[in-house]
Amino acid sequence: MIEFIKVSKHYKLSSGDYRTILDEISFKFPEHKNIGILGMNGAGKSTLLRLIAGSEPPDSGRIIRTGRFSWPLGFGGGFNNNLSGEENLRFVCRIYNADLHQVLDYVREFSELGGALTEPMRTYSNGMRARLAFGLSLAIEFDVYLIDEVMAVGDPVFRKKSKAAFEARRQTASLILVSHDMRTIRDYSDVIIILNNYELSIFEDVEAGIKVYESLAGVKR
Amino acid sequence: MSEIFKALAVQARVVYAFILRDMHTRFGRSRLGYFWAVFEPLTGILALALVFSMIDRGSPINVDIHLFFFTGIIPWQLFSRGVSMMSNVIESSAPLLTYPQVKVVDVVIARIILEFSTIFIVCILYLVVLYFWGIFDRVENLLMSITVLMLCIIFGSVFGLVGAVIKLYFPSYMSFQSLLLRVLFFISGAFFVADSLPSAVKDILWYNPVLHLLEWQRSVFFYGFESQFYEPMYPIVCMLCLGFLGLAGERLTRSKLRQLGI
């Protein structure tokens, strides 16, 4: 469960101006549903995900979380590029108090990275990173998985595998997903949340949500 | 109350994970890491001993000159390593803040623990050698001695943390800091005792907290030496002020990091 109570978030840009992401928003996210988050470029979708995860505190207001939330799985931070995939995995296991051997076995099987696991992560492609991140977070078993754009990478076989793995977790876990790829959004989401004008609006019907988003995108263009 | 314990347990776990990771990057890849850890103080001690023998000067106090330099170089090294290992702490830990339970302060604590343990083990190694060499007998107050050594690295670290914050706003601060460190090495008592200085110089150097730490360290280390110079509260108060500034500054830099694209 996650609830925002009067949450505001701003950023100071290097020009000195402020960019507002959320302005005193109170919002209750639907439970046990896969949520697709849509918004224009720069609206702050990734920041919203970081707020949900707790990677970043809000400027004001409160965020109430119950259950285990994953870190935002994305291309950005989270891994040290000079360390190997396996060393990064060890670190993440330790901070989440997860069983190292169990996780390692699962990730080996799921990611199919093979020998690359012991190579420094700077040699990894985006697809390989996503495979490691997915495998790792699936092995740790979160209640809510936060996914930032990375769903669409990788070959069709791996996409299918991820989908099956998340599908298998549906009883116990849900997704909150940011993507520009409407196919991914349709594939995974039960509801749509649109971040626009510093506000969140929810659409129980995915197609209706996508329609609104596309009309917003049309207007902006 | 149990909330606090839970939070502490999480933090301990994160610190532990960082210690193991840093250990791995420093010592796991090659034996060179150990080599440097052991030989770095030796180069300092031998260089100072060589200079002193060349200008025909003896030990400033009634102990073997190598042991005297040992008690100067080790606390100095703890201080200066503290400073240098913090200089990149904010940028290098920024990507890991993705994990909500990770805070910059965890990285700071982990680095202090690992560095202190490493230098501490090296110290024991040196003292064993010096003992069998017949130069060293025992420490006057072992517990205080360890405490002061810890203060040295913590003082260096908070000083370095403040520097790391300033650096984000004024990148050229780092060249100023390395200049400051070089000057500090000469005025912090690595190779002299404060009571041997002319009183005019002593009055000025009184404001150098590192000199207090080194004098304090020698006073609790040697039986026959008690410095009249140091005031324990002075470096401690400096340390607390810098620590507060550094941690508060680190909070303020979070939006700055975003601008820098880190």
Side-chain angles (χ1 to χ4, degrees), chain B residues 131-150:
Chain B
Y131 178 82
F132 284 108
W133 194 1
I135 290 170
F136 163 75
D137 186 22
R138 58 205 176 99
V139 180
E140 184 190 347
N141 187 340
L142 185 62
L143 214 60
M144 268 320 277
S145 203
I146 294 172
T147 309
V148 180
L149 288 179
M150 280 182 185

Side-chain angles (χ1 to χ4, degrees), chain A residues 11-14 47 50 53-57 71-72 77-80 82-83 87 91-92 94-97, chain B residues 10 13-18 20-21 24-25 29 94-103 251 254-255 258-259:
Chain A
Y11 268 117
K12 201 177 169 192
L13 302 172
S14 36
T47 306
R50 290 171 64 81
S55 309
E56 244 174 85
W71 70 95
F79 293 124
N80 181 328
N82 292 319
L83 295 179
E87 286 159 350
F91 176 77
V92 176
R94 286 192 190 108
I95 63 174
Y96 281 101
N97 207 13
Chain B
V10 170
R13 216 160 60 211
V14 173
V15 169
Y16 176 65
F18 272 115
L20 288 186
R21 206 187 68 148
H24 198 84
T25 39
R29 297 277 161 73
L96 293 166
L97 300 182
T98 302
Y99 305 106
Q101 65 270 56
V102 173
K103 305 277 176 278
R251 287 247 144 203
R254 287 192 191 157
S255 59
R258 180 57 77 108
Q259 282 173 34

